[in-house]
Amino acid sequence: MIVAEARAQVTVSNIVEAQAGNRPFAEFFGQPTNPTSIYDELNAELALSGVRLGFRYESLDNSRQTNTYRTFTQRYADWTASGLHVRVGDFYTILGRGLTMRAFELPGVVLQDAVTGRRSSFSRELDGVRVDADGRFGSVRAFSAQDASSTQSGGQAMLGPWRGAGVGATYVRLSSGAGGANSQEFGSGFVQWDPSQTWSGAPVALPLYAEYAQANRSASEWWRFERGDAVPHALYVGSEALWGPFALSAEWKDYRDFRTGINDPPSLVREHAFPLPNRATHVLNAVSEHGVQLEGSWAVPDWGTVTVNHSRADGTPSGRALHFEESYFETHLAAARWPTVEATLFFDRDIDTFVQIAGREIYGVSLTGRFLGPWSSTLDLEKLDAERSAVFGPSIGFTDQVATLQVARSGWGTLAYLWQRTTDPDEEDPDLFGGDVEPRVYRAWNASALIGQSHTVQLFVGERRGGPACTAGTCYEVAPFKGAELRLISRF
């Protein structure tokens, strides 16, 4: 008799983040300017013959001994065999494109409360059981989860994909209150089709996807496909075209009263890599928003890439008409004849009355030069001019500027100097004794180093500007900070 060898693998990752500092002007709020704190996030997993056992442990200690904790924030057991996948404990999931349900995390992002200083991982998980089954004709997903305030259950069934085509439906029930007295139901239907897979040899890839969702409707009402303001609904349609060096995408959204707290519909807003456009990203308001996003790119042989994006949305979430519109142009130059030099130029123009921005223009350039083999240097320069509508009185104009100089050595790490200046009245330095205000200037050093194959060390010294930041289509608030921060990321 031959006995199969059992193979076990242990995977461990850890983030340690130590800070010495506080938010700017902390002394005026009765807080010390230089408290210390250490946050730790440990993830461990054991894989053995189709079974995985894992946990996440988070802790926070600080010199003030406030909001400290040490606790297991995730634990799970996972089993996979013959097209069946069962997970018990904490899990993530998405149904369709997230119109009815999306539980997810942003790995490596640590959230910090600007007032209390409490830190935690960015994770919106469910705690319960999830079952996935894949077969010849389709797939099924079912889940049930519970937290301190509600119970969520539901699933998804899909036929296909067969030759690039598939059809499916999702259902979610959200119950809260004593005995689930307060309940809501969400359902959606979706179709997807890629003609290039239906007809092999097609010169153009043209995947299509459409999903329609409603809330608290009967089966007969759902089939009416209503989109009026009186009917809570979400409709998303998206398509892409890939043809040699050209790529085009088109998306359309129509959301009304569909911000449920457990879903995350596509926002149809470009995610920017540059700091100022990223900070100015429009945040979806699924209470009332409909619009489109169009993007095209052309990979010019031996020269680089040209990208054009246009997004717009309208809505009445507060009973008054609001508008967002953005046009973005980017040219990335990477000429084959000059392999040691790269350059990126961009220009962004938008209006976003959802956040009282009557007009905004952002432009910038990034230059990279390579020298002495593994060495490189990058200079980023950006400027933003904006006008904010005032509730009373005239509009307020302000300017943001960013300059970053970075030196990197392949296999070693990077060293960067960051400079920002803003005349935004919401962030100006207050002269608490004279009543005058001055523009805010932020200066910081940022260094990272690779230690072997398993460790990365990052050091930040200076002042970090607070405000919105966006990663993987999700936006969150970065807490302002002045001091030193040391982060060690380890993977085994």
PDB file of all heavy atoms in Angstrom, residues 400-425:
ATOM      1  N   ASP A 400      -2.384  73.945  -4.640  1.00  0.00           N
ATOM      2  CA  ASP A 400      -1.535  72.918  -4.038  1.00  0.00           C
ATOM      3  C   ASP A 400      -0.334  72.684  -4.938  1.00  0.00           C
ATOM      4  O   ASP A 400      -0.465  72.685  -6.174  1.00  0.00           O
ATOM      5  CB  ASP A 400      -2.287  71.598  -3.854  1.00  0.00           C
ATOM      6  CG  ASP A 400      -3.321  71.661  -2.743  1.00  0.00           C
ATOM      7  OD1 ASP A 400      -3.374  72.684  -2.041  1.00  0.00           O
ATOM      8  OD2 ASP A 400      -4.066  70.676  -2.600  1.00  0.00           O
ATOM      9  N   GLN A 401       0.826  72.452  -4.338  1.00  0.00           N
ATOM     10  CA  GLN A 401       2.033  72.145  -5.096  1.00  0.00           C
ATOM     11  C   GLN A 401       2.745  70.965  -4.443  1.00  0.00           C
ATOM     12  O   GLN A 401       2.775  70.858  -3.205  1.00  0.00           O
ATOM     13  CB  GLN A 401       2.975  73.355  -5.141  1.00  0.00           C
ATOM     14  CG  GLN A 401       2.408  74.555  -5.876  1.00  0.00           C
ATOM     15  CD  GLN A 401       3.220  75.804  -5.647  1.00  0.00           C
ATOM     16  OE1 GLN A 401       3.225  76.356  -4.559  1.00  0.00           O
ATOM     17  NE2 GLN A 401       3.915  76.239  -6.684  1.00  0.00           N
ATOM     18  N   VAL A 402       3.308  70.100  -5.271  1.00  0.00           N
ATOM     19  CA  VAL A 402       4.028  68.923  -4.789  1.00  0.00           C
ATOM     20  C   VAL A 402       5.322  68.784  -5.568  1.00  0.00           C
ATOM     21  O   VAL A 402       5.339  68.933  -6.799  1.00  0.00           O
ATOM     22  CB  VAL A 402       3.191  67.634  -4.953  1.00  0.00           C
ATOM     23  CG1 VAL A 402       4.048  66.395  -4.731  1.00  0.00           C
ATOM     24  CG2 VAL A 402       2.031  67.620  -3.978  1.00  0.00           C
ATOM     25  N   ALA A 403       6.417  68.493  -4.857  1.00  0.00           N
ATOM     26  CA  ALA A 403       7.703  68.185  -5.481  1.00  0.00           C
ATOM     27  C   ALA A 403       8.318  67.003  -4.741  1.00  0.00           C
ATOM     28  O   ALA A 403       8.380  67.010  -3.502  1.00  0.00           O
ATOM     29  CB  ALA A 403       8.638  69.385  -5.441  1.00  0.00           C
ATOM     30  N   THR A 404       8.757  66.004  -5.490  1.00  0.00           N
ATOM     31  CA  THR A 404       9.380  64.818  -4.909  1.00  0.00           C
ATOM     32  C   THR A 404      10.638  64.480  -5.683  1.00  0.00           C
ATOM     33  O   THR A 404      10.603  64.407  -6.916  1.00  0.00           O
ATOM     34  CB  THR A 404       8.424  63.613  -4.938  1.00  0.00           C
ATOM     35  OG1 THR A 404       7.220  63.942  -4.257  1.00  0.00           O
ATOM     36  CG2 THR A 404       9.061  62.409  -4.257  1.00  0.00           C
ATOM     37  N   LEU A 405      11.722  64.265  -4.972  1.00  0.00           N
ATOM     38  CA  LEU A 405      12.971  63.820  -5.587  1.00  0.00           C
ATOM     39  C   LEU A 405      13.372  62.503  -4.949  1.00  0.00           C
ATOM     40  O   LEU A 405      13.521  62.417  -3.724  1.00  0.00           O
ATOM     41  CB  LEU A 405      14.078  64.853  -5.392  1.00  0.00           C
ATOM     42  CG  LEU A 405      15.451  64.475  -5.954  1.00  0.00           C
ATOM     43  CD1 LEU A 405      15.370  64.286  -7.470  1.00  0.00           C
ATOM     44  CD2 LEU A 405      16.496  65.517  -5.603  1.00  0.00           C
ATOM     45  N   GLN A 406      13.529  61.470  -5.777  1.00  0.00           N
ATOM     46  CA  GLN A 406      13.816  60.132  -5.274  1.00  0.00           C
ATOM     47  C   GLN A 406      15.047  59.556  -5.959  1.00  0.00           C
ATOM     48  O   GLN A 406      15.216  59.682  -7.172  1.00  0.00           O
ATOM     49  CB  GLN A 406      12.615  59.206  -5.495  1.00  0.00           C
ATOM     50  CG  GLN A 406      12.861  57.750  -5.113  1.00  0.00           C
ATOM     51  CD  GLN A 406      11.666  56.884  -5.363  1.00  0.00           C
ATOM     52  OE1 GLN A 406      10.719  56.881  -4.575  1.00  0.00           O
ATOM     53  NE2 GLN A 406      11.669  56.137  -6.458  1.00  0.00           N
ATOM     54  N   VAL A 407      15.876  58.899  -5.163  1.00  0.00           N
ATOM     55  CA  VAL A 407      17.021  58.153  -5.676  1.00  0.00           C
ATOM     56  C   VAL A 407      16.843  56.701  -5.273  1.00  0.00           C
ATOM     57  O   VAL A 407      16.521  56.401  -4.115  1.00  0.00           O
ATOM     58  CB  VAL A 407      18.348  58.708  -5.116  1.00  0.00           C
ATOM     59  CG1 VAL A 407      19.522  57.870  -5.612  1.00  0.00           C
ATOM     60  CG2 VAL A 407      18.532  60.164  -5.511  1.00  0.00           C
ATOM     61  N   ALA A 408      17.022  55.787  -6.232  1.00  0.00           N
ATOM     62  CA  ALA A 408      16.801  54.366  -5.970  1.00  0.00           C
ATOM     63  C   ALA A 408      17.975  53.545  -6.474  1.00  0.00           C
ATOM     64  O   ALA A 408      18.643  53.906  -7.453  1.00  0.00           O
ATOM     65  CB  ALA A 408      15.508  53.901  -6.649  1.00  0.00           C
ATOM     66  N   ARG A 409      18.204  52.438  -5.787  1.00  0.00           N
ATOM     67  CA  ARG A 409      19.218  51.493  -6.208  1.00  0.00           C
ATOM     68  C   ARG A 409      18.577  50.109  -6.216  1.00  0.00           C
ATOM     69  O   ARG A 409      18.115  49.618  -5.193  1.00  0.00           O
ATOM     70  CB  ARG A 409      20.404  51.516  -5.246  1.00  0.00           C
ATOM     71  CG  ARG A 409      21.739  51.061  -5.832  1.00  0.00           C
ATOM     72  CD  ARG A 409      21.890  49.550  -5.834  1.00  0.00           C
ATOM     73  NE  ARG A 409      23.239  49.142  -6.212  1.00  0.00           N
ATOM     74  CZ  ARG A 409      23.597  47.883  -6.389  1.00  0.00           C
ATOM     75  NH1 ARG A 409      22.699  46.895  -6.230  1.00  0.00           N
ATOM     76  NH2 ARG A 409      24.843  47.572  -6.733  1.00  0.00           N
ATOM     77  N   SER A 410      18.519  49.474  -7.385  1.00  0.00           N
ATOM     78  CA  SER A 410      17.875  48.172  -7.521  1.00  0.00           C
ATOM     79  C   SER A 410      18.492  47.166  -6.554  1.00  0.00           C
ATOM     80  O   SER A 410      19.711  47.024  -6.477  1.00  0.00           O
ATOM     81  CB  SER A 410      18.032  47.667  -8.958  1.00  0.00           C
ATOM     82  OG  SER A 410      17.468  46.385  -9.101  1.00  0.00           O
ATOM     83  N   GLY A 411      17.602  46.484  -5.793  1.00  0.00           N
ATOM     84  CA  GLY A 411      18.060  45.501  -4.830  1.00  0.00           C
ATOM     85  C   GLY A 411      18.389  46.065  -3.468  1.00  0.00           C
ATOM     86  O   GLY A 411      18.576  45.304  -2.509  1.00  0.00           O
ATOM     87  N   TRP A 412      18.503  47.397  -3.353  1.00  0.00           N
ATOM     88  CA  TRP A 412      18.792  48.021  -2.064  1.00  0.00           C
ATOM     89  C   TRP A 412      17.584  48.734  -1.496  1.00  0.00           C
ATOM     90  O   TRP A 412      17.101  48.396  -0.430  1.00  0.00           O
ATOM     91  CB  TRP A 412      19.956  49.019  -2.203  1.00  0.00           C
ATOM     92  CG  TRP A 412      21.297  48.388  -2.398  1.00  0.00           C
ATOM     93  CD1 TRP A 412      21.562  47.064  -2.599  1.00  0.00           C
ATOM     94  CD2 TRP A 412      22.565  49.054  -2.409  1.00  0.00           C
ATOM     95  NE1 TRP A 412      22.893  46.856  -2.757  1.00  0.00           N
ATOM     96  CE2 TRP A 412      23.550  48.056  -2.641  1.00  0.00           C
ATOM     97  CE3 TRP A 412      22.959  50.377  -2.281  1.00  0.00           C
ATOM     98  CZ2 TRP A 412      24.905  48.358  -2.720  1.00  0.00           C
ATOM     99  CZ3 TRP A 412      24.310  50.690  -2.356  1.00  0.00           C
ATOM    100  CH2 TRP A 412      25.278  49.685  -2.569  1.00  0.00           C
ATOM    101  N   GLY A 413      17.064  49.755  -2.231  1.00  0.00           N
ATOM    102  CA  GLY A 413      15.934  50.513  -1.725  1.00  0.00           C
ATOM    103  C   GLY A 413      15.879  51.899  -2.327  1.00  0.00           C
ATOM    104  O   GLY A 413      16.457  52.159  -3.394  1.00  0.00           O
ATOM    105  N   THR A 414      15.202  52.830  -1.636  1.00  0.00           N
ATOM    106  CA  THR A 414      15.003  54.192  -2.150  1.00  0.00           C
ATOM    107  C   THR A 414      15.171  55.211  -1.036  1.00  0.00           C
ATOM    108  O   THR A 414      15.000  54.892   0.152  1.00  0.00           O
ATOM    109  CB  THR A 414      13.597  54.357  -2.751  1.00  0.00           C
ATOM    110  OG1 THR A 414      12.616  54.164  -1.718  1.00  0.00           O
ATOM    111  CG2 THR A 414      13.343  53.347  -3.867  1.00  0.00           C
ATOM    112  N   LEU A 415      15.482  56.432  -1.441  1.00  0.00           N
ATOM    113  CA  LEU A 415      15.521  57.577  -0.544  1.00  0.00           C
ATOM    114  C   LEU A 415      14.849  58.737  -1.258  1.00  0.00           C
ATOM    115  O   LEU A 415      15.217  59.071  -2.391  1.00  0.00           O
ATOM    116  CB  LEU A 415      16.955  57.945  -0.174  1.00  0.00           C
ATOM    117  CG  LEU A 415      17.117  59.215   0.689  1.00  0.00           C
ATOM    118  CD1 LEU A 415      16.461  59.026   2.053  1.00  0.00           C
ATOM    119  CD2 LEU A 415      18.587  59.577   0.842  1.00  0.00           C
ATOM    120  N   ALA A 416      13.848  59.362  -0.614  1.00  0.00           N
ATOM    121  CA  ALA A 416      13.081  60.426  -1.273  1.00  0.00           C
ATOM    122  C   ALA A 416      12.869  61.600  -0.337  1.00  0.00           C
ATOM    123  O   ALA A 416      12.724  61.432   0.885  1.00  0.00           O
ATOM    124  CB  ALA A 416      11.728  59.889  -1.746  1.00  0.00           C
ATOM    125  N   TYR A 417      12.862  62.798  -0.929  1.00  0.00           N
ATOM    126  CA  TYR A 417      12.498  64.011  -0.211  1.00  0.00           C
ATOM    127  C   TYR A 417      11.174  64.508  -0.776  1.00  0.00           C
ATOM    128  O   TYR A 417      11.004  64.644  -1.993  1.00  0.00           O
ATOM    129  CB  TYR A 417      13.564  65.098  -0.383  1.00  0.00           C
ATOM    130  CG  TYR A 417      13.209  66.395   0.294  1.00  0.00           C
ATOM    131  CD1 TYR A 417      13.230  66.508   1.680  1.00  0.00           C
ATOM    132  CD2 TYR A 417      12.845  67.514  -0.463  1.00  0.00           C
ATOM    133  CE1 TYR A 417      12.905  67.708   2.307  1.00  0.00           C
ATOM    134  CE2 TYR A 417      12.518  68.720   0.152  1.00  0.00           C
ATOM    135  CZ  TYR A 417      12.540  68.805   1.538  1.00  0.00           C
ATOM    136  OH  TYR A 417      12.213  69.984   2.156  1.00  0.00           O
ATOM    137  N   LEU A 418      10.198  64.785   0.102  1.00  0.00           N
ATOM    138  CA  LEU A 418       8.861  65.196  -0.307  1.00  0.00           C
ATOM    139  C   LEU A 418       8.580  66.602   0.209  1.00  0.00           C
ATOM    140  O   LEU A 418       8.821  66.901   1.383  1.00  0.00           O
ATOM    141  CB  LEU A 418       7.795  64.237   0.235  1.00  0.00           C
ATOM    142  CG  LEU A 418       7.887  62.765  -0.174  1.00  0.00           C
ATOM    143  CD1 LEU A 418       8.817  62.000   0.775  1.00  0.00           C
ATOM    144  CD2 LEU A 418       6.508  62.115  -0.135  1.00  0.00           C
ATOM    145  N   TRP A 419       8.048  67.442  -0.669  1.00  0.00           N
ATOM    146  CA  TRP A 419       7.698  68.823  -0.319  1.00  0.00           C
ATOM    147  C   TRP A 419       6.303  69.114  -0.857  1.00  0.00           C
ATOM    148  O   TRP A 419       5.997  68.841  -2.012  1.00  0.00           O
ATOM    149  CB  TRP A 419       8.723  69.782  -0.923  1.00  0.00           C
ATOM    150  CG  TRP A 419       8.455  71.234  -0.675  1.00  0.00           C
ATOM    151  CD1 TRP A 419       8.900  71.970   0.374  1.00  0.00           C
ATOM    152  CD2 TRP A 419       7.715  72.147  -1.512  1.00  0.00           C
ATOM    153  NE1 TRP A 419       8.480  73.287   0.250  1.00  0.00           N
ATOM    154  CE2 TRP A 419       7.741  73.417  -0.906  1.00  0.00           C
ATOM    155  CE3 TRP A 419       7.017  71.992  -2.719  1.00  0.00           C
ATOM    156  CZ2 TRP A 419       7.114  74.522  -1.447  1.00  0.00           C
ATOM    157  CZ3 TRP A 419       6.386  73.100  -3.263  1.00  0.00           C
ATOM    158  CH2 TRP A 419       6.446  74.349  -2.636  1.00  0.00           C
ATOM    159  N   GLN A 420       5.450  69.656   0.016  1.00  0.00           N
ATOM    160  CA  GLN A 420       4.106  70.060  -0.395  1.00  0.00           C
ATOM    161  C   GLN A 420       3.804  71.444   0.178  1.00  0.00           C
ATOM    162  O   GLN A 420       4.247  71.786   1.286  1.00  0.00           O
ATOM    163  CB  GLN A 420       3.037  69.077   0.115  1.00  0.00           C
ATOM    164  CG  GLN A 420       2.982  67.759  -0.598  1.00  0.00           C
ATOM    165  CD  GLN A 420       1.686  67.012  -0.287  1.00  0.00           C
ATOM    166  OE1 GLN A 420       0.592  67.510  -0.551  1.00  0.00           O
ATOM    167  NE2 GLN A 420       1.819  65.822   0.268  1.00  0.00           N
ATOM    168  N   ARG A 421       3.017  72.183  -0.570  1.00  0.00           N
ATOM    169  CA  ARG A 421       2.564  73.491  -0.114  1.00  0.00           C
ATOM    170  C   ARG A 421       1.120  73.678  -0.530  1.00  0.00           C
ATOM    171  O   ARG A 421       0.734  73.325  -1.649  1.00  0.00           O
ATOM    172  CB  ARG A 421       3.419  74.610  -0.719  1.00  0.00           C
ATOM    173  CG  ARG A 421       3.033  76.027  -0.265  1.00  0.00           C
ATOM    174  CD  ARG A 421       3.926  77.046  -0.943  1.00  0.00           C
ATOM    175  NE  ARG A 421       3.698  78.405  -0.464  1.00  0.00           N
ATOM    176  CZ  ARG A 421       2.775  79.232  -0.969  1.00  0.00           C
ATOM    177  NH1 ARG A 421       1.991  78.814  -1.984  1.00  0.00           N
ATOM    178  NH2 ARG A 421       2.616  80.445  -0.477  1.00  0.00           N
ATOM    179  N   THR A 422       0.292  74.213   0.360  1.00  0.00           N
ATOM    180  CA  THR A 422      -1.107  74.459   0.036  1.00  0.00           C
ATOM    181  C   THR A 422      -1.548  75.796   0.601  1.00  0.00           C
ATOM    182  O   THR A 422      -1.117  76.207   1.686  1.00  0.00           O
ATOM    183  CB  THR A 422      -2.019  73.343   0.581  1.00  0.00           C
ATOM    184  OG1 THR A 422      -3.386  73.631   0.237  1.00  0.00           O
ATOM    185  CG2 THR A 422      -1.901  73.207   2.087  1.00  0.00           C
ATOM    186  N   THR A 423      -2.402  76.469  -0.159  1.00  0.00           N
ATOM    187  CA  THR A 423      -3.041  77.694   0.324  1.00  0.00           C
ATOM    188  C   THR A 423      -4.517  77.462   0.628  1.00  0.00           C
ATOM    189  O   THR A 423      -5.284  78.407   0.751  1.00  0.00           O
ATOM    190  CB  THR A 423      -2.910  78.823  -0.724  1.00  0.00           C
ATOM    191  OG1 THR A 423      -3.569  78.419  -1.937  1.00  0.00           O
ATOM    192  CG2 THR A 423      -1.462  79.127  -1.013  1.00  0.00           C
ATOM    193  N   ASP A 424      -4.913  76.206   0.726  1.00  0.00           N
ATOM    194  CA  ASP A 424      -6.290  75.864   1.069  1.00  0.00           C
ATOM    195  C   ASP A 424      -6.599  76.395   2.467  1.00  0.00           C
ATOM    196  O   ASP A 424      -5.932  76.016   3.440  1.00  0.00           O
ATOM    197  CB  ASP A 424      -6.459  74.338   1.027  1.00  0.00           C
ATOM    198  CG  ASP A 424      -7.909  73.916   1.179  1.00  0.00           C
ATOM    199  OD1 ASP A 424      -8.735  74.747   1.603  1.00  0.00           O
ATOM    200  OD2 ASP A 424      -8.211  72.745   0.875  1.00  0.00           O
ATOM    201  N   PRO A 425      -7.603  77.277   2.619  1.00  0.00           N
ATOM    202  CA  PRO A 425      -7.915  77.829   3.948  1.00  0.00           C
ATOM    203  C   PRO A 425      -8.271  76.757   4.972  1.00  0.00           C
ATOM    204  O   PRO A 425      -8.083  76.970   6.172  1.00  0.00           O
ATOM    205  CB  PRO A 425      -9.112  78.751   3.671  1.00  0.00           C
ATOM    206  CG  PRO A 425      -9.002  79.089   2.220  1.00  0.00           C
ATOM    207  CD  PRO A 425      -8.433  77.869   1.559  1.00  0.00           C
TER     208      PRO A 425
END
